[in-house]
Amino acid sequence: MFLKSLSMKGFKSFADATRLDLEPGITVVVGPNGSGKSNVVDAIGWVLGAQAPSIVRSKAMDDVIFAGTAQRPALGRAEVALTIDNSAGLLPIEFTEVTISRTLFRSGDSEYAINNVPCRLLDIQDMLSDSGVGRQQHVIVSQ
């Protein structure tokens, strides 16, 4: 099982739809200061259910929604989708690829989904509970 891709739109500095394709093994994100490397790490924790704004380096949870610039207006929602290769069948679901997504709207409403089917955060946590991936089970070295 490995992380196959990470898609972000409106999440922090990723105003435009951005997709990172990942391969088995070690993945390293490099770039100059201010390029969004830490925001990639925050997106993974957030889509897996981070509930405290401090976990994603924010004061309020809606701070993860792109706030706009002098040239671009603020967006109304943040979306992150994480696709996991499940060809080994380690997740208790009948799919070889599993996509977990989270959307947060400026209104404060949020949505979770597994393979585009709406679900609860608890459903995602239950699915990941024996896999070593989840809000309190995985380790991400960010610096």
Side-chain angles (χ1 to χ4, degrees):
M1 181 173 79
F2 67 93
L3 303 181
K4 192 167 186 177
S5 68
L6 178 68
S7 300
M8 300 162 285
K9 182 177 180 185
F11 184 83
K12 291 194 163 195
S13 60
F14 295 97
D16 295 324
T18 303
R19 178 183 164 113
L20 301 175
D21 291 314
L22 309 169
E23 299 291 332
I26 297 174
T27 298
V28 179
V29 178
V30 296
N33 290 342
S35 64
K37 300 179 302 292
S38 295
N39 292 346
V40 171
V41 174
D42 289 346
I44 293 170
W46 187 75
V47 74
L48 291 175
Q51 296 297 297
S54 60
I55 293 173
V56 290
R57 301 173 307 117
S58 299
K59 291 183 181 173
M61 194 51 79
D62 68 350
D63 288 346
V64 302
I65 302 172
F66 179 73
T69 66
Q71 294 80 29
R72 295 190 72 158
L75 296 178
R77 66 181 174 197
E79 303 171 58
V80 175
L82 181 67
T83 301
I84 299 170
D85 180 288
N86 188 40
S87 55
L90 297 175
L91 297 177
I93 190 168
E94 301 277 330
F95 295 96
T96 57
E97 279 189 8
V98 178
T99 299
I100 299 165
S101 60
R102 181 177 183 182
T103 304
L104 176 68
F105 299 90
R106 284 226 182 261
S107 66
D109 293 336
S110 64
E111 299 172 351
Y112 292 91
I114 298 172
N115 288 351
N116 294 319
V117 176
C119 68
R120 305 168 301 167
L121 174 57
L122 181 60
D123 299 323
I124 292 170
Q125 291 170 338
D126 284 347
M127 181 184 68
L128 297 174
S129 65
D130 293 330
S131 68
V133 177
R135 190 174 60 171
Q136 306 213 351
Q137 298 171 322
H138 63 277
V139 174
I140 298 173
V141 178
S142 60
Q143 292 186 8

